[in-house]
Amino acid sequence: MIHASLPELRRALDARQISSVELATLFLDRIDALDPQLNAFVTVDCEGALAAARAADERIAAGQAAPLTGIPLAHKDVFCTEGVLTTCGSKMLSNFVSPYDAHVVGLLKAAGAVSLGKTNMDEFAMGSSNESSFYGAVKNPWKLDRVPGGSSGGSAAAVAARLAPIATGTDTGGSVRQPAAFCGITGIKPTYGLVSRYGMIAYASSLDQGGAFGASAEDCALLLSAMAGFDPRDSTSLERPAEDYAAALAAPAGARPLEGLRIGLPREFFAEGMADDVRTAVNAAIEQYRALGATTVEVSLPNARLAIPAYYVIAPAECSSNLSRFDGVRYGHRAAEYGDLADMYGKTRAEGFGAEVKRRILVGTYVLSHGYYDAYYLQAQRLRRLIAQDFQAALQHCDIIAGPTTPTTAWALGQMADDPVQMYLSDIFTLAINLAGLPGLSQPCGLGSDGLPVGLQLIGDYFGESRLLNAAHRFQQITDWHTRRPAIAG
Ligand code: GLN
């Protein structure tokens, strides 16, 4: 059951081969046994999980099960959960019990999914290694001395080690795709606006988007179908008909199921910056796509290299504004001793935020300040427009775009801890997609020379989720990279 796919779990639950309570207990026991080594969870909610599982069992007995009823999952600790600690990986919120559910959390509850708890993450989702968490680094299940990627590293590690079959995440500049790649699982970041940001603690609001982790594209499709949908409480939520991403995968596949699919290979992604073992695995995967009937065409994203400077101006600018709400007045940490109000703000924020968050707030405040706004922020916005236009031009010649998710496999814990810029550079292949608001998916496509997973990134046009998931699913029907598990998963 630990390694079962979501459709297999569904069948087992519906056939009463296992109850939801038994299933939740199975995963809770695994978290108990393995999480001390991984540190993937900040909060394990045994009581809540068992209560939800009992309710799910009743619903199944009544013949009213939805696709996720009774299925255990984990939420990134960026999502507000009513009555459950919601820390965002920060000391600032280390005492914050949310009074309400995020939209995504509410939808999954209503679907009857069983939340096992909240997963560890980079503080306020800022990072690419999950080392900036107040709750300590998450370990990569494939090699415990490696990073799992960030910022949704806890969710990715939990799914890879089978501490949960599926998990939610968020992706501002790669935080679903990059940890999925590093942990050897599948992750999808949808089109901006598809998943409500209500109750998802904001980092950079114009880039943040909720996403899904699973072992396979099919599991991601089932989770995403339940997460997506219009929400009037998020002003950027898009009103469009709901899609059943999983049903679309069930269509019978011929010998060449991707016949007619045109895959664009951006020249700039393949030119330099990719480690040899990543390149080998990515090229082999593209060959498999050709075997499935897809054709490939070279495309160009001339401004993609500017994604790093543009992103690392825009994201800090938005974060400096978003994080101003953490002032010790209404919720979260407050300094124990202070003089006047200004001193209280200062001490609270000095104590509550870690180094990376402070660095971003400083950078963000600087680029928005009088005299620098035009030089930095406005310029970055212009670059953002150019980057988005590049993708639209490229997508004239292809249906999806493929390339690496990351330049290398997972690096060693501590390796970049003192070099933030080096870490920012590792986001080179993921940031542009958020700047353009496009959907992106990462799927495991091989192992590097160190035995660690390599991710293949697929990028689609707006609302191309179904196409991405279908392509990844067809690939997974003829390959077994997505079924490989780290030794710790047993
Ligand atoms: N690594 C990027 C950053 O630190 C992306 C993080 C994310 O997507 N939340 O901003």
Side-chain angles (χ1 to χ4, degrees), residues 28-357:
L28 289 169
D29 288 348
R30 274 180 77 79
I31 295 172
D32 221 30
L34 298 177
D35 199 49
Q37 293 175 69
L38 296 170
N39 198 27
F41 280 82
V42 173
T43 301
V44 182
D45 182 14
C46 293
E47 229 175 89
L50 292 174
R54 278 191 294 273
D57 280 332
E58 283 172 24
R59 192 163 156 184
I60 295 167
Q64 286 160 358
L68 295 187
T69 304
I71 305 271
L73 57 72
H75 285 298
K76 183 179 184 181
D77 211 11
V78 71
F79 288 102
C80 285
T81 42
E82 187 181 344
V84 177
L85 193 66
T86 299
T87 70
C88 222
S90 181
K91 178 176 179 182
M92 189 59 98
L93 290 177
S94 55
N95 61 0
F96 177 63
V97 176
S98 174
Y100 67 96
D101 277 332
H103 186 69
V104 163
V105 171
L107 284 177
L108 289 166
K109 257 188 198 171
V114 173
S115 171
L116 302 169
K118 309 293 290 292
T119 57
N120 203 345
M121 54 181 283
D122 275 306
E123 186 177 8
F124 284 103
M126 298 171 198
S128 313
S129 67
N130 220 123
E131 295 170 290
S132 77
S133 170
F134 174 62
Y135 296 92
V138 177
K139 315 286 161 43
N140 188 314
W142 290 79
K143 268 198 182 136
L144 297 177
D145 61 352
R146 301 297 179 104
V147 302
S151 65
S152 317
S155 284
V159 172
R162 305 312 287 166
L163 304 187
I166 45 172
T168 57
T170 58
D171 190 314
T172 303
S175 282
V176 165
R177 290 158 288 154
Q178 188 252 21
F182 279 10
C183 291
I185 61 169
T186 308
I188 182 162
K189 175 208 98 78
T191 305
Y192 182 80
L194 195 76
V195 169
S196 168
R197 290 182 296 107
Y198 177 81
M200 205 177 95
I201 297 170
Y203 159 19
S205 308
S206 76
L207 300 157
D208 296 342
Q209 186 56 201
F213 288 107
S216 65
E218 190 175 29
D219 286 3
C220 286
L222 282 157
L223 177 53
L224 184 63
S225 300
M227 292 169 70
F230 175 66
D231 173 16
R233 296 171 298 185
D234 170 1
S235 62
T236 58
S237 174
L238 297 163
E239 246 182 304
R240 57 194 305 281
E243 278 187 68
D244 184 341
Y245 301 104
L249 306 184
R256 287 163 66 82
L258 297 183
E259 191 82 66
L261 183 78
R262 298 167 303 160
I263 301 181
L265 305 175
R267 186 181 314 141
E268 295 78 6
F269 280 21
F270 289 84
E272 54 182 347
M274 216 192 317
D276 289 341
D277 55 348
V278 172
R279 183 184 295 275
T280 304
V282 165
N283 283 338
I286 289 165
E287 209 42 63
Q288 291 279 10
Y289 272 100
R290 290 194 190 103
L292 286 162
T295 54
T296 56
V297 52
E298 189 178 88
V299 293
S300 178
L301 301 170
N303 296 294
R305 67 194 168 83
L306 299 172
I308 293 178
Y311 175 91
Y312 279 102
V313 167
I314 293 169
E318 294 187 21
C319 113
S320 72
S321 164
N322 273 325
L323 271 59
S324 64
R325 74 190 61 169
F326 301 107
D327 57 6
V329 175
R330 283 152 302 184
Y331 41 72
H333 176 72
R334 181 187 296 175
E337 282 169 34
Y338 50 87
D340 59 5
L341 183 63
D343 192 41
M344 192 279 281
Y345 290 154
K347 289 209 170 95
T348 293
R349 288 168 67 82
E351 292 170 10
F353 291 136
E356 185 58 31
V357 170

